[in-house]
Amino acid sequence: MKKSDLEKLKSIVGENNVKSDPADLYIYGSDSSVHNALPWVIVRPENTEHVQKIVKFANKNKIPIIPRGGGSGMCGQTVPIHGGITLDMKLMNRILEINMPDVYCRVEPGVVDDDLNMALKPHGVFFPPTPASSRIATIGGEIGNNASGVRSVKYGATRDAVLGMKVVMANGDLVDFGAHTRVEASGYQMHKLIVGSEGTLGIVVEATLKFVPIPEFRCLGIANFDSIKDAGEAVGEIMASGANPSMLELVDSIAIKAVNKTMDLGLAEVDAALLYEADGMVVEAVDYEINKMQKICKKHNGKDLKASYDPDERAKIFMGRKKLFPALSKYDEALSSTSLADDMAVPYSKMADMAEKIHAVAKKNNIVMTAYGHCGSGCMHTKILMDTNRKDQWASAKKAITEIYEYVRSVNGTTSAEHGIGLSKAESFKIEKANSLDTLKAIKKALDPNNILNPGKMMQAPEDWVTATDLRYSVNS
Amino acid sequence: MKTKTIECKNLKKWEKTLASCIRCGYCFEHCPISKYTRWESDTPRAKIIMAHGLVSGSLEPSDYIAEKLFSCFFCKRCETACSSGVSLTDIFIDARKDLIEAGFNITGTTTLTRPDCVLCLACVRECPHEARLLVDNKIITDPVICQACGRCVEVCPTGAALNGLDFGTSKQALQHETMEYLQKSKKSKAIVFACNWSYFPDLQSSIQVAADNKTYKIIVNMCGNRLEKETLIEAFLNNASGVLVACCPDGDCEHNGNEKAKSNVQYVKNLLQSINMDPETIHLVQIEHGDKSGFQMEIDTFMEKISGNK
């Protein structure tokens, strides 16, 4: 980046909001994914006007611009594959309005999910997507990736909770998409399009979100299974039965071991466990749902069934699931947990096969893989545990991922349920969306003709994720 | 790009651990330094990334990097948040050792001594970490050991012991934040000083524009050691309706800061009493680590009590 460009950016946001030391570039060059590529500069806008000026400048000079929230993305969405300006949105962190009569709130993109929920709690409501990373994930990042989490089975993903937004487009114009009302029939639902676009179509500077009442009663149950196939089949039948869980999570034996090891939760070390939750305003309704799910679990050889309304017990079990991703790092001292092929979705009837497929592929390729996730919403998570120093392990991981995605597509599943595409999943995404890629490219071209907004992601990403960027690990040859 | 490297004799053993950090960012939440600067480069995760960069040779050591790695208050909240069990502060200490061996002489948050030090040795006796040393008739700080708790600064009779970078936790910064809040409106308000271990029950990284009519503000003072008498008195001089001080339970504070806080709160209580002010308007609570709801309950009880006292 030219010195004059740096000066221009400083003149927009002030010297204190621009960083370009090599250490800063290195830090902002990675996220929670396996990728690493350096931006040219990091800029922190404090307000919408700053964003507009920065985008206009970048557009005029054809400089890539990558919005970034908490940097907790798992697929390299904020890794600047073509360099450019990383736009750190965390200073735009104001909760602007909590409007109880009209049941919406307005927030800036840098607001952290947990903070929003803490502000909403006194009003008896919550913002439902609940990703596991809610303590760090910003609303802007959640919008970019259409984040969801354990409660999405009942309450939906971020896209379902967004009513409208203010967006700075690639030419620097500020536009309003959506509305402040619960329904809107007119025109293209641009705010829904922006959700999940990974910063490639515009930069969200304000979001209008709906919230839902915090239920009076929550009951969380556990069922253990000696066979992951049984657990997967129970998930399928629960969802097909018309049950309405507020959480339905599957964890496999590797995930259970990892959580026990780091959190000391004392979960029974079985082949698989299902966590199922129901919530509501009337205890009888919650009991009805829990009983229904337990009956189905029993039918599929579920054992050690228990359920609790006790907040401490529920919090302990929920915390274990919430911290599962980092806990996987402790599964084996020699192995690191990597975010690869980590959130595919498959039809309910294929959930059991999917879990078994993951374990079979891992065995075949001599790596360790977990199967867990928000199975109630069709999402299966995996993590690949491997010795990241070994080049051959990366080759095995690549083979395993290709096989897994082939299976996912063969059963009409989808590449990403909630973490997005970024760089890591572009290969499968492009195969899956082959006949609509031209449409996606045309939309991108229309809204960002100079291709400055987070270029090189999703349909533009390189085919091979291993060589798309440097890996953030030290890999021996 | 080939970078200049240093011999990471001490960091080298953490190579596997540095790879096992999955960079979830859970450590951001309560780090007082990154919360103050609001830069990702100041988060514990960033320090781990820099350490990884130094060990792998992909990052060239610099004063800038050294300053970041020498900046830590050792509250270890990052370690508590880390489910991967990464010993972050041990890694920071080893990074410091390697950087010192490579010739970097950086203060960061560690303490300094002004030339007008009278060598009374009060700081040497006071330092719980034995980081203040008398060497060649000068007081120096061992920057590897110093945990920036501030006891030496508090005890120094001449003001010669100074904090390096304070990230908003110095006496001046705390007083400024206190005054700014109390002077903003004429409504009577209270201050809650919270040790960073108190897991204060408030928004961490966001701002609520139309905050519900809270009549108190939580100000993080890092450790009881940093809460000097003047800071407590300053709040009352600016018409605070009350001051609540939260610190660790007995035996939990690694710097004995809770003892210092108790003593200072008692001093101010006595002072208030001596000038016919209600001594109950200052109160100290000891909060178990992680007890957010207990802390909120203490705040609510205190606020109710002082509003009833009016």
Side-chain angles (χ1 to χ4, degrees):
Chain A
M1 172 164 269
K2 288 184 294 193
K3 201 175 168 200
S4 58
D5 291 342
L6 211 56
E7 292 308 316
K8 173 69 184 170
L9 291 167
K10 284 179 183 172
S11 76
I12 295 171
V13 294
E15 188 137 3
N16 290 338
N17 285 327
V18 176
K19 275 187 185 286
S20 56
D21 188 275
D24 295 309
L25 305 182
Y26 187 66
I27 290 160
Y28 279 84
S30 61
D31 51 16
S32 199
S33 72
V34 299
H35 302 287
N36 182 237
L38 304 187
W40 302 336
V41 63
I42 304 120
V43 180
R44 289 193 308 189
E46 292 180 358
N47 51 48
T48 298
E49 197 186 342
H50 281 170
V51 177
Q52 286 184 272
K53 284 181 176 172
I54 296 163
V55 173
K56 271 182 188 158
F57 168 74
N59 195 39
K60 189 177 162 198
N61 294 283
K62 297 190 172 52
I63 298 171
I65 185 161
I66 301 99
R68 179 179 174 107
S72 55
M74 295 179 176
C75 322
Q77 292 96 324
T78 61
V79 174
I81 187 167
H82 298 308
I85 301 166
T86 285
L87 207 60
D88 183 340
M89 302 300 287
K90 288 190 283 294
L91 281 190
M92 292 182 67
N93 61 343
R94 295 180 306 159
I95 298 166
L96 300 166
E97 182 187 6
I98 296 175
N99 188 323
M100 290 308 294
D102 294 329
V103 198
Y104 70 75
C105 58
R106 289 187 305 115
V107 301
E108 290 184 329
V111 166
V112 171
D113 184 296
D114 270 2
D115 279 352
L116 175 59
N117 275 314
M118 195 172 280
L120 291 173
K121 198 175 177 184
H123 302 279
V125 295
F126 76 107
F127 176 61
T130 329
S133 55
S134 58
R135 64 169 62 184
I136 172 178
T138 61
I139 299 300
E142 291 184 9
I143 288 174
N145 299 310
N146 190 26
S148 59
V150 293
R151 299 240 156 74
S152 297
V153 58
K154 179 169 180 176
Y155 296 101
T158 303
R159 185 174 282 122
D160 303 303
V162 172
L163 298 173
M165 56 179 64
K166 288 183 186 295
V167 180
V168 172
M169 304 304 286
N171 61 3
D173 284 353
L174 178 67
V175 297
D176 287 288
F177 291 142
H180 288 186
T181 53
R182 196 51 70 103
V183 289
E184 186 199 24
S186 319
Y188 302 124
Q189 300 291 290
M190 293 298 289
H191 57 300
K192 302 280 184 189
L193 177 63
I194 295 290
V195 179
S197 66
E198 302 185 6
T200 62
L201 299 179
I203 294 169
V204 178
V205 288
E206 184 185 311
T208 304
L209 310 169
K210 69 180 182 186
F211 41 71
V212 295
I214 297 170
E216 291 283 331
F217 300 98
R218 270 193 179 131
C219 184
L220 182 63
I222 303 176
N224 292 327
F225 294 84
D226 289 326
S227 143
I228 197 163
K229 190 170 167 49
D230 284 343
E233 283 171 356
V235 169
E237 189 170 336
I238 286 171
M239 295 314 295
S241 75
N244 191 16
S246 51
M247 185 200 304
L248 183 54
E249 298 283 305
L250 179 140
V251 285
D252 72 356
S253 55
I254 294 165
I256 291 168
K257 267 185 207 163
V259 171
N260 273 346
K261 200 169 172 183
T262 53
M263 304 285 294
D264 198 23
L265 294 186
L267 301 176
E269 298 204 351
V270 286
D271 202 40
L274 281 186
L275 304 180
Y276 46 92
E277 185 197 70
D279 65 14
M281 296 300 180
V282 184
V283 73
E284 287 79 5
V286 178
D287 276 343
Y288 173 81
E289 297 292 347
I290 290 288
N291 290 338
K292 190 170 184 173
M293 289 189 277
Q294 286 195 325
K295 210 170 153 186
I296 295 170
C297 286
K298 270 185 200 161
K299 186 180 154 191
H300 290 276
N301 305 316
K303 59 178 191 178
D304 312 327
L305 269 72
K306 64 173 177 177
S308 178
Y309 282 89
D310 177 56
D312 289 343
E313 180 110 356
R314 284 193 291 112
K316 198 171 149 191
I317 295 164
F318 188 68
M319 186 56 78
R321 170 62 190 87
K322 195 164 178 164
K323 289 201 168 184
L324 179 56
F325 175 38
L328 287 169
S329 280
K330 300 299 285 179
Y331 175 72
D332 184 322
E333 291 298 327
L335 308 177
S336 297
S337 169
T338 55
S339 297
L340 292 165
D342 52 351
D343 68 324
M344 66 286 293
V346 292
Y348 294 127
S349 62
K350 304 297 177 197
M351 202 60 76
D353 291 346
M354 180 77 243
E356 291 205 316
K357 181 76 183 172
I358 288 167
H359 288 159
V361 167
K363 198 173 173 188
K364 185 176 153 193
N365 289 286
N366 199 26
I367 50 175
V368 180
M369 291 186 78
T370 52
Y372 66 98
H374 322 309
C375 293
S377 47
C379 170
M380 180 70 85
H381 285 311
T382 66
K383 285 286 171 291
I384 295 182
L385 309 183
M386 62 177 176
D387 184 343
T388 50
N389 283 337
R390 283 171 46 191
K391 205 173 176 180
D392 63 309
Q393 290 260 288
W394 287 95
S396 299
K398 186 170 163 54
K399 271 172 68 184
I401 287 164
T402 303
E403 268 186 67
I404 282 171
Y405 280 138
E406 275 169 8
Y407 174 78
V408 168
R409 294 191 302 270
S410 75
V411 297
N412 294 322
T414 189
T415 304
S416 174
E418 58 181 23
H419 294 167
I421 301 300
L423 298 165
S424 312
K425 286 176 245 167
E427 184 185 359
S428 177
F429 173 76
K430 285 195 243 186
I431 300 170
E432 180 193 329
K433 305 291 182 194
N435 68 9
S436 60
L437 273 187
D438 286 345
T439 310
L440 302 185
K441 285 176 184 169
I443 292 169
K444 169 73 173 163
K445 181 85 181 161
L447 297 184
D448 180 19
N450 288 329
N451 196 26
I452 59 155
L453 295 171
N454 204 5
K457 303 292 160 60
M458 298 200 292
M459 60 277 184
Q460 293 181 351
E463 299 295 331
D464 183 357
W465 57 264
V466 179
T467 57
T469 61
D470 286 342
L471 296 169
R472 71 169 169 85
Y473 303 89
S474 303
V475 185
N476 302 324
S477 50
Chain B
M1 189 178 68
K2 193 72 192 157
T3 54
K4 273 193 248 168
T5 55
I6 55 170
E7 191 190 354
C8 294
K9 222 163 54 187
N10 296 287
L11 268 181
K12 193 78 184 164
K13 66 173 175 282
W14 297 106
E15 205 170 1
K16 175 70 191 78
T17 309
L18 292 170
S20 77
C21 163
I22 45 96
R23 303 194 179 174
C24 61
Y26 287 9
C27 55
F28 286 18
E29 193 186 10
H30 286 283
C31 174
I33 294 178
S34 56
K35 269 174 65 185
Y36 181 76
T37 69
R38 317 283 308 137
W39 278 107
E40 216 172 299
S41 308
D42 292 310
T43 59
R45 176 173 83 176
K47 289 187 174 76
I48 291 294
I49 293 173
M50 284 185 280
H52 173 73
L54 292 175
V55 172
S56 64
S58 40
L59 202 54
E60 195 169 313
S62 64
D63 283 352
Y64 185 82
I65 291 171
E67 186 180 284
K68 301 221 173 287
L69 286 163
F70 278 84
S71 293
C72 176
F73 291 115
F74 290 84
C75 66
K76 301 189 181 181
R77 292 292 300 275
C78 50
E79 292 181 11
T80 307
C82 178
S83 289
S84 295
V86 175
S87 308
L88 286 100
T89 53
D90 288 343
I91 294 173
F92 304 160
I93 287 170
D94 278 333
R96 289 180 178 194
K97 288 177 188 167
D98 287 337
L99 286 162
I100 285 174
E101 279 181 29
F104 288 92
N105 181 18
I106 295 292
T107 305
T109 48
T110 63
T111 53
L112 298 159
T113 312
R114 273 197 330 228
D116 59 346
C117 167
V118 294
L119 296 179
C120 69
L121 305 187
C123 61
V124 176
R125 285 190 294 271
E126 187 73 9
C127 178
H129 309 292
E130 300 181 351
R132 299 281 287 183
L133 306 165
L134 178 66
V135 177
D136 295 337
N137 253 3
K138 276 184 187 166
I139 300 291
I140 60 158
T141 303
D142 182 333
V144 173
I145 300 172
C146 176
Q147 299 198 359
C149 67
R151 280 194 86 118
C152 53
V153 178
E154 217 269 342
V155 80
C156 178
T158 63
L162 299 168
N163 291 117
L165 298 172
D166 65 70
F167 298 102
T169 63
S170 67
K171 180 169 75 175
Q172 293 77 8
L174 291 174
Q175 289 182 7
H176 176 76
E177 201 177 348
T178 302
M179 277 195 295
E180 197 180 55
Y181 173 68
L182 292 171
Q183 290 173 358
K184 210 180 277 177
S185 84
K186 285 178 183 163
K187 207 167 153 186
S188 178
K189 289 176 176 177
I191 297 289
V192 178
F193 286 111
C195 147
N196 201 50
W197 265 110
S198 303
Y199 281 80
F200 46 97
D202 214 342
L203 303 191
Q204 293 298 297
S205 311
S206 312
I207 298 162
Q208 195 167 355
V209 172
D212 46 343
N213 298 317
K214 266 188 190 168
T215 50
Y216 63 86
K217 177 173 178 151
I218 299 175
I219 295 177
V220 179
N221 56 283
M222 218 37 245
C223 173
N225 278 323
R226 289 177 171 260
L227 205 51
E228 298 180 39
K229 296 181 191 94
E230 293 91 327
T231 308
L232 299 172
I233 293 166
E234 191 69 31
F236 287 106
L237 290 175
N238 282 279
N239 295 324
S241 56
V243 173
L244 182 68
V245 174
C247 63
C248 298
D250 289 344
D252 280 9
C253 180
E254 291 190 11
H255 321 292
N256 295 327
N258 46 7
E259 294 305 320
K260 185 63 76 178
K262 276 187 203 173
S263 146
N264 284 347
V265 166
Q266 190 56 49
Y267 175 89
V268 177
K269 263 186 193 294
N270 295 343
L271 183 71
L272 291 174
Q273 200 150 27
S274 71
I275 54 173
N276 292 326
M277 282 177 72
D278 183 356
E280 296 307 310
T281 51
I282 184 163
H283 182 58
L284 180 135
V285 288
Q286 292 177 284
I287 306 291
E288 292 282 343
H289 302 171
D291 189 6
K292 275 186 184 185
S293 54
F295 190 11
Q296 186 64 62
M297 207 185 329
E298 293 284 5
I299 294 172
D300 293 344
T301 307
F302 178 72
M303 292 307 296
E304 199 180 313
K305 191 172 162 189
I306 60 170
S307 71
N309 283 355
K310 267 188 244 165

